[in-house]
Amino acid sequence: MSDLKPALEAVLMVVDEPATEAHLAKVLERTPREVADALHELADEYTSQGRGFELRRVAGGWRYYTRAAFAPAVEAFVLEGQQARLTQAALETLAVVAYRQPVSRSRVSAVRGVNCDGVMRTLLQRGLVEEAGAEPETGAILYRTTNYFLERMGLRGLDELPELAPFLPEAEAVEPDSLEGVPSFDPDAPDREDDDKTEV
């Protein structure tokens, strides 16, 4: 078993989902029993040594996880540089998605009056919006806010979003599903807003 443990460690370092004992045994050409024993020994060793990671058996397989005691260190590393505030353009785009979801990029662009493709990509990367199927009539991809958006906003659900009416001047108020009174958008026209050219 001297070479089995290092082999298991190497394989488990690259898995993107829990690996089963049977699969590991097949790949490493060992018996399932040998693999199971080696995995349990590795898990015990990591715990007794107080390592920053642990080997867990989850969902019918095995995978490395960072140890809970070191979560603050991991969080600090992952979030470093990710706390940059959203630009005004991103906030406006996010608001349109939140109140009109599911909504297509072209509709968001029409509401804002500028091309918002770059900002939408940023919101997707930030995990604040996600794809929500396609529009039956046009086939355009639809977008909605995520659970992470609710978490960051401190909301239990979308029904807790504040009413828009108190924040809209009467002359600018429009029906939720209407684009009347909203600037038109020409997809071939150059961007008219610097913020939309900047990743956030």
Side-chain angles (χ1 to χ4, degrees):
M1 193 178 293
S2 59
D3 62 336
L4 178 54
K5 288 183 184 179
L8 286 169
E9 290 177 320
V11 172
L12 290 171
M13 287 290 291
V14 298
V15 299
D16 54 8
E17 60 184 22
T20 65
E21 294 170 2
H23 188 196
L24 291 169
K26 180 180 179 181
V27 170
L28 300 176
E29 299 181 342
R30 306 295 283 265
T31 67
R33 182 62 185 179
E34 288 178 313
V35 169
D37 289 343
L39 288 168
H40 281 97
E41 288 181 17
L42 282 172
D44 291 341
E45 289 173 13
Y46 299 148
T47 298
S48 63
Q49 294 169 5
R51 305 297 290 271
F53 57 90
E54 59 185 335
L55 183 57
R56 293 188 208 161
R57 193 173 194 279
V58 293
W62 292 80
R63 188 176 184 182
Y64 284 120
Y65 289 86
T66 54
R67 201 170 294 278
F70 301 101
V74 176
E75 182 178 356
F77 177 79
V78 172
L79 296 181
E80 183 181 12
Q82 299 299 312
Q83 298 300 314
R85 299 180 64 178
L86 293 174
T87 63
Q88 185 65 29
L91 289 172
E92 291 174 4
T93 301
L94 185 57
V96 174
V97 175
Y99 282 94
R100 297 205 174 204
Q101 61 185 306
V103 63
S104 65
R105 288 192 186 193
S106 61
R107 193 170 181 88
V108 174
S109 295
V111 171
R112 293 200 56 235
V114 307
N115 187 323
C116 64
D117 286 357
V119 174
M120 285 291 287
R121 283 194 297 272
T122 296
L123 295 176
L124 282 164
Q125 292 168 357
R126 290 282 190 97
L128 294 167
V129 301
E130 64 185 0
E131 293 185 5
E135 197 170 53
E137 299 81 6
T138 65
I141 296 175
L142 298 173
Y143 297 89
R144 64 187 174 201
T145 53
T146 63
N147 285 333
Y148 180 63
F149 163 79
L150 294 176
E151 178 185 335
R152 299 299 296 172
M153 295 295 292
L155 304 174
R156 286 175 294 183
L158 293 174
D159 57 335
E160 291 191 349
L161 283 171
E163 292 291 332
L164 276 180
F167 303 100
L168 294 175
E170 289 185 18
E172 296 180 8
V174 297
E175 291 298 318
D177 295 322
S178 170
L179 294 182
E180 184 179 354
V182 176
S184 61
F185 167 63
D186 179 0
D188 297 321
D191 289 349
R192 299 198 303 267
E193 184 172 330
D194 290 341
D195 279 344
D196 282 312
K197 300 176 182 177
T198 304
E199 290 295 318
V200 292

